[in-house]
Amino acid sequence: MKILVTACNGQLGTDVTDYFKKDNEVIAYKDIELDITDEKKVMEEVLRVKPDVIINTAAITNVDGCETNVELAYKVNRDGAGIMAKAAKAVGARLIHISTDYVFDGNSKEPYRETDTPCPQSVYGSSKLAGEKEVLKYEKSYVLRTAWLYGPHGNNFVKTMLRLAAEKGEVGVVTDQVGNPTSTFELIRIIDVVLKKGEFGIYHATCNGVCSWNEFAREIFRLAGVNVKVNDLTTDQFPRPAKRPAYSNLSKEKLWKVCGYRPMDWHDALKEYFDYVKAENK
Ligand SMILES: NC(=O)c1ccc[n+]([C@@H]2O[C@H](COP(=O)([O-])OP(=O)(O)OC[C@H]3O[C@@H](n4cnc5c(N)ncnc54)[C@H](OP(=O)(O)O)[C@@H]3O)[C@@H](O)[C@H]2O)c1
C-alpha cells in the first residue's frame, strides 16, 4: 500500500512511519512540511501522491493549552481533520484518524462503547469530537479513539514521571481518575488490524485493563527500577485548567467482534516499552 502519514515527527507519527514503512511505501510529512489546515497544500500533495491510505496523527494535543488557545484547537483538531477527509475523498483513499477518550464526560460506571453519547468536558475533547464528525462525513474513514498514549518519541506521562522522580525524589499522583494507558506500539498494531479487517467507523483503540494515574505511575517506577515516594492525591488536590474524565475506560468489544483482536494488557505494553527503551540505550 501507499500510505501518507501526517505529523511524522509527533509521538505517534514517528512510530507509525517506522512500523508501516517495513511493508509499505510510506510518504510521511513533518508538521512543518504539511500543515493540515492548509487546504490548498494538502489537496496538492494528496492529489500528487495518490495514497491508498492516509493516517492522520496531526493534532493539537496540549489539553490544558487548548483551554486558552481555543481557536487553534478547533482550527487543527476540527478543520484540519475535515480537510484531511476531503483530500482522502478526492483520491478515494481510506482515512485513519486518531481521536480520544476525552470525548466522554467520565461519569459512567461501565466501559464506554463506540455507540455511547459523547459529552466532552474540555476544549480539547470538544475540538476532537468536532474533528470526528468532520471525518465521519467521509464514508471510507476510521476513527480510532485512544487514551493515555506514550511512546519512545514523545513527551508523555511516563517520561514526566521519570523526570519528576529524578528532580524531586517524590511525586504526587491522582488516584481518582482511571483509564487505559496505551503504548504507541499497541495502538499501531490496532491501526494495522483495523486496516486489514475493520469496517469503516469508530473504534475504541487502547490497551486492555484499567488503572488510575497513580497505579500507572507506580508501575512505571517498578519497571524502571526507580525508588521514589508516590503520594496519593485527589483531583481536587491537583487542579488543572482542563477538566479530565474521572472514569475513562473504553470497551474494546467492537474491536474483538469486528476484527478478532484483543489489545495487549497495559502492564505488558508498558514492559514492552521499557524493554525497547533499554535495548535502544544499550
Ligand atoms: N498523547 C495522548 O495521550 C493522546 C491521548 C488520546 C488521543 N491522542 C491523539 O493521538 C494523536 C497523536 O497524538 P500524539 O501523542 O502523537 O501527539 P503529538 O506528539 O503532540 O503529535 C501531534 C503532532 O501534530 C503536529 N501538528 C499540530 N498542528 C499541526 C498542523 N496544523 N499540521 C500538521 N501537524 C500539526 C504537532 O506539532 P506541534 O508539536 O508543533 O504542535 C505534533 O507534531 C492525536 O490525534 C491525539 O489527539 C493522544
Side-chain angles (χ1 to χ4, degrees), residues 150-162:
Y150 62 90
H153 303 289
N155 289 321
N156 53 54
F157 183 78
V158 178
K159 289 187 188 172
T160 302
M161 283 300 111
L162 294 174

Side-chain angles (χ1 to χ4, degrees), residues 7 9-13 31 34-37 57-61 76 98-101 124 128 146-149:
N9 52 325
Q11 170 168 254
L12 178 62
D31 47 7
L34 186 65
D35 176 348
I36 66 162
T37 68
T57 73
I60 298 295
T61 57
V76 177
I98 311 299
S99 191
T100 172
D101 56 325
Y124 171 72
K128 292 292 290 182
T146 195
W148 298 23
L149 194 64

Side-chain angles (χ1 to χ4, degrees), residues 13-72:
T14 304
D15 292 345
V16 158
T17 303
D18 284 351
Y19 177 93
F20 282 101
K21 77 180 180 199
K22 288 175 205 140
D23 296 315
N24 302 277
E25 185 187 347
V26 174
I27 296 94
Y29 299 84
K30 293 183 184 160
D31 47 7
I32 51 158
E33 292 167 342
L34 186 65
D35 176 348
I36 66 162
T37 68
D38 183 344
E39 184 165 352
K40 188 166 169 285
K41 171 89 170 152
V42 168
M43 278 296 178
E44 246 170 53
E45 286 303 306
V46 171
L47 287 171
R48 187 178 65 79
V49 170
K50 293 194 179 55
D52 303 299
V53 170
I54 295 176
I55 304 179
N56 179 33
T57 73
I60 298 295
T61 57
N62 180 346
V63 176
D64 291 323
C66 286
E67 294 296 310
T68 40
N69 283 316
V70 180
E71 205 175 310
L72 180 66

Side-chain angles (χ1 to χ4, degrees), residues 14 24 57 60 77 90 122 149 161 182 185 206 212 220 222 248:
T14 304
N24 302 277
T57 73
I60 298 295
N77 294 347
S122 61
L149 194 64
M161 283 300 111
T182 302
F185 298 149
T206 68
S212 68
I220 290 165
R222 193 184 72 78
S248 196

